[in-house]
Amino acid sequence: MKKVILTLTTILCLSAIVRADEGMWIPALLQRNEAEMQAMGMKITADDIYSINHSSMKDAVVLFGGGCTGEIVSEQGLLLTNHHCGFDWIQKHSTVEHDYLTDGFWAMTMEEELSCPGLTAVMLKNMVDVTEKILFNITDETTDEERARLVKENINKLVTAEQDRSEYMVSVESFYQGNQYFLMYNEVFDDVRMVGAPPSNIGKFGGDTDNWVWPRHTGDFSIFRIYKDNKPYKPDYHFTISLKGVEKGDFTFVFGYPARTNEYLPSVAVNQEANVVYPVVVDLRTQILDIYNKYQEKDAKVRIQYASKHAGLGNGWKKWMGVIEGIRNFKGIEKKQAFEESFYEWCQKERRRMIYSRVLREFDAVYAEYEKYRMATTYLTEAGLSIELIDFASNFTKLADMTKDTPQEEIDELINNLRQATAVFFKDYYQPIDEEVAVTMLTAYRAAQPEDFRPEILNEIDKNFKGNVKSYVDYLFGKSILTSEEKVVAMLDNFKPSKAKKLAKDPAVVAFNSMMDFYIEKVLPKSKEYNNRINNMRRVYMEGQMKMIPEVYPERNLYPDANFTLRVTYGKVGGFKPKDAVTYRHFTTLDGIMQKENPDIYDYVVTDRLRELYEAKEFGRYADKDGSMHVAFIAGNHTTGGNSGSPILNAEGKLLGLNFDRTWEGTMSDLVYDPSICKNISVDIRYVLFLIDKYAGCTRLIDEMTIDE
Ligand code: ARG
Ligand code: ASP
């Protein structure tokens, strides 16, 4: 056993040397990576990428809409991001007469660019290490509670003081699980307008079928523009576009806003995620999606109504299946265990390292106890609240609590909001789906969660419906007024506090309250307690790893988990071998779109215009030197959710494409990164420009870009 572990450790150690692809680096500290990046082929400097003394690439990268990344590509604030990142805005601007989702949208003049109230672009101006300031009055003797209080207090003090002095938005962000803190200065742009989007059968080509999958053919881009004082924003930097394309082995880097990763978890936690939680979520979502599919296939209206819900559930569903398989096939848990073994050995060498080995040992027990609460939450959100009627009822609990003492304005405002929520809900509601989901989910919920640790409503099915879930669901949907838009509107029209009691007895409101009561009384307090404990333990374990890794694996560069802050990641272009006998090339072409074309399958419809351009080979200067139109490519950049829309850049820092996804086999990269299998997917910028220019004829946008032929 020992021998096996030692060999694994050696492999880990060796792979650390060649594992340049792993890591999401803090741009302000990029000097540390410069030599390696240049050795891999980069021709520019870390200072070109991030500088606070002169304009640099960071001045052209923004957090788009709070969850994606965008990049500036002209002197007039023109911004590129993914189609799926702009999707909500394309949808919001669409009407029956102007269906931009279906037909695409192209502002042929600046006047035609559409404002998007609420949409922001956030740009990092400066970041400063303030760890000492945040942790200055904390010692080894400080208790966890005291530490949390002091950290909060120190952050507040610093932010308040800095905010007074700064024109930018100031915040403090925690890195390495609370072992390092940075003060961040961000400029917030709140006038971002929609400029262009291809039709969905280009921007979403392959749909949910191809989602997370390579080979991929999605033209996943949309175009916006930042305005400041009602004028196009003049950025300090904008990206030059390269039309040279990529070759296997080329150096690339991705600059963007990865949201969350957990690369330093102990094996027991990875095991809980990948082998306990995700399988349940996947199983529940499979059942729901099967029901959606059945009805969506039968009825075009239902297909549209459930398209976005389907995409939302389906994205995580597919990803987590990939994580489960990836962790298994690439021995994620075993690798973590081998690391823990060597960590343990390292701890034994000095007395004062005992605090780390103790915490490592304690993880097993804490995660074992936590599992019960984790699963209770999982069933609540994934089974209970996926019943749309019960989720909808959550909107009405406040109204059901109104008394004759509630001020009338408060009631009026609430009713107003409820009217809107009601219209939104019923626009996309199909009751037969929901009833079937309810039967399936409540059955699964009851089977999995013990009688003494689940919402009372699940036990009442035994008492009042002889354990027959279907009878309960018939009663729930038959008796609740919340299944009927007409009845809800009438109830809102005639609402008086004296009617609140009746609303509180509505079976859907009762069901929701029962689930919430259980959660708030039995699950939440304990979950919080465990989460706090686990977070403290992870902080200590991280601190240990930060000391151990440089000593034991000196060639391995540590990086903090993603936390929605700007990062740089780099790797080389190249295909991979997902399984025995299968090899993937690193790029796809328009030929592949034509091969997938199927007018009868929604995800694979090709417009006449695109087919014509393909047949005439009208690719102009956007064709690859092999003569074909390249659509997407993969490389070994360590990305995650939030990196969508990020610029992928070449050795000279010129724009090659837009990152939009990862390969399914490598989705475990949020927990365990394996360079042989974890690849990011980008749309080729030449395909984007071809669509803007040749497909849409929106040449004014091409004209304002800086293009390197
Ligand atoms: N999987 C990508 C991400 O996590 C793209 C999702 C949008 N595309 C889709 N077909 N649903 O965001
Ligand atoms: N598709 C993801 C996003 O929207 C990117 C990823 O998870 O790789 O950010």
Side-chain angles (χ1 to χ4, degrees), residues 230-462:
N230 218 14
K231 285 193 206 71
Y233 168 64
K234 283 211 180 324
D236 290 337
Y237 189 91
H238 70 272
F239 285 108
T240 297
I241 289 164
S242 165
L243 294 186
K244 296 207 181 83
V246 293
E247 304 271 355
K248 192 172 157 194
D250 278 358
F251 172 83
T252 61
F253 66 103
V254 172
F255 203 2
Y257 280 90
R260 288 264 174 253
T261 56
N262 287 295
E263 312 285 355
Y264 301 94
L265 282 176
S267 57
V268 56
V270 175
N271 187 49
Q272 187 169 90
E273 291 292 299
N275 295 327
V276 182
V277 180
Y278 292 167
V280 167
V281 178
V282 166
D283 174 46
L284 294 172
R285 289 192 182 193
T286 305
Q287 298 184 48
I288 299 173
L289 291 168
D290 282 347
I291 297 168
Y292 284 11
N293 285 336
K294 188 171 78 187
Y295 287 96
Q296 283 183 291
E297 274 161 29
K298 275 199 280 209
D299 187 333
K301 183 171 171 221
V302 176
R303 182 174 57 67
I304 295 168
Q305 282 181 317
Y306 278 72
S308 175
K309 298 174 192 176
H310 193 293
L313 284 182
N315 198 38
W317 169 76
K318 202 162 177 182
K319 175 182 164 178
W320 292 318
M321 279 194 282
V323 177
I324 296 168
E325 277 218 27
I327 294 278
R328 192 186 61 212
N329 294 344
F330 290 85
K331 310 241 171 301
I333 311 243
E334 291 83 343
K335 283 178 189 160
K336 286 257 170 202
Q337 285 168 341
F339 173 79
E340 284 158 17
E341 191 77 17
S342 70
F343 183 80
Y344 202 78
E345 269 170 38
W346 174 82
C347 291
Q348 301 314 305
K349 291 196 179 125
E350 270 183 44
R351 248 191 93 77
R352 59 196 171 87
R353 294 180 188 161
M354 260 178 45
I355 168 175
Y356 306 125
S357 49
R358 197 170 51 226
V359 107
L360 182 61
R361 267 195 317 240
E362 278 170 12
F363 273 126
D364 286 355
V366 175
Y367 273 99
E369 287 168 35
Y370 176 49
E371 189 171 306
K372 174 177 169 188
Y373 302 95
R374 183 80 206 273
M375 293 322 288
T377 310
T378 303
Y379 273 97
L380 177 80
T381 52
E382 294 286 331
L385 297 181
S386 60
I387 301 163
E388 292 174 78
L389 176 63
I390 295 183
D391 189 44
F392 182 49
S394 68
N395 293 296
F396 293 87
T397 53
K398 232 175 153 184
L399 196 63
D401 281 344
M402 295 283 159
T403 64
K404 58 181 189 343
D405 300 329
T406 320
Q408 191 58 36
E409 308 88 79
E410 203 178 300
I411 298 184
D412 290 345
E413 196 191 328
L414 184 58
I415 289 194
N416 224 349
N417 293 342
L418 287 173
R419 278 187 211 286
Q420 284 172 23
T422 301
V424 170
F425 177 76
F426 282 103
K427 181 173 160 285
D428 290 334
Y429 186 63
Y430 188 62
Q431 193 176 325
I433 287 190
D434 202 26
E435 284 188 39
E436 218 171 304
V437 167
V439 174
T440 320
M441 286 301 106
L442 293 175
T443 306
Y445 203 157
R446 276 164 48 89
Q449 295 287 284
E451 237 180 272
D452 60 353
F453 198 63
R454 63 189 190 191
E456 226 2 73
I457 191 80
L458 298 182
N459 295 333
E460 278 166 24
I461 298 177
D462 288 321

Side-chain angles (χ1 to χ4, degrees), residues 154-257:
N154 296 342
I155 289 179
N156 283 343
K157 244 189 260 164
L158 185 61
V159 168
T160 315
E162 281 304 307
Q163 191 63 77
D164 276 348
R165 245 178 282 170
S166 175
E167 55 182 309
Y168 301 122
M169 185 179 75
V170 178
S171 65
V172 168
E173 305 295 338
S174 149
F175 293 72
Y176 292 110
Q177 251 65 50
N179 283 288
Q180 190 176 26
Y181 289 89
F182 274 89
L183 181 62
M184 321 285 285
Y185 299 85
N186 283 294
E187 180 163 9
V188 181
F189 298 92
D190 58 6
D191 184 357
V192 181
R193 303 186 195 171
M194 190 168 101
V195 175
S200 290
N201 54 30
I202 289 175
K204 233 179 125 52
F205 184 81
D208 288 332
T209 319
D210 286 5
N211 189 22
W212 296 114
V213 170
W214 184 256
R216 190 70 158 277
H217 299 87
T218 313
D220 201 342
F221 77 97
S222 57
I223 314 169
F224 289 78
R225 190 190 303 281
I226 301 179
Y227 281 76
K228 200 175 169 177
D229 304 324
N230 218 14
K231 285 193 206 71
Y233 168 64
K234 283 211 180 324
D236 290 337
Y237 189 91
H238 70 272
F239 285 108
T240 297
I241 289 164
S242 165
L243 294 186
K244 296 207 181 83
V246 293
E247 304 271 355
K248 192 172 157 194
D250 278 358
F251 172 83
T252 61
F253 66 103
V254 172
F255 203 2
Y257 280 90

Side-chain angles (χ1 to χ4, degrees), residues 13-21 36 675:
C13 190
L14 283 177
S15 66
I17 304 172
V18 289
R19 150 212 284 196
D21 295 355
E36 183 180 57

Side-chain angles (χ1 to χ4, degrees), residues 67-68 82 84-85 212 315 319 639-644 659-662:
C68 278
N82 288 148
H84 79 263
C85 295
W212 296 114
N315 198 38
K319 175 182 164 178
T639 55
T640 189
N643 267 124
S644 275
N659 179 77
F660 69 95
D661 211 2
R662 277 170 287 164

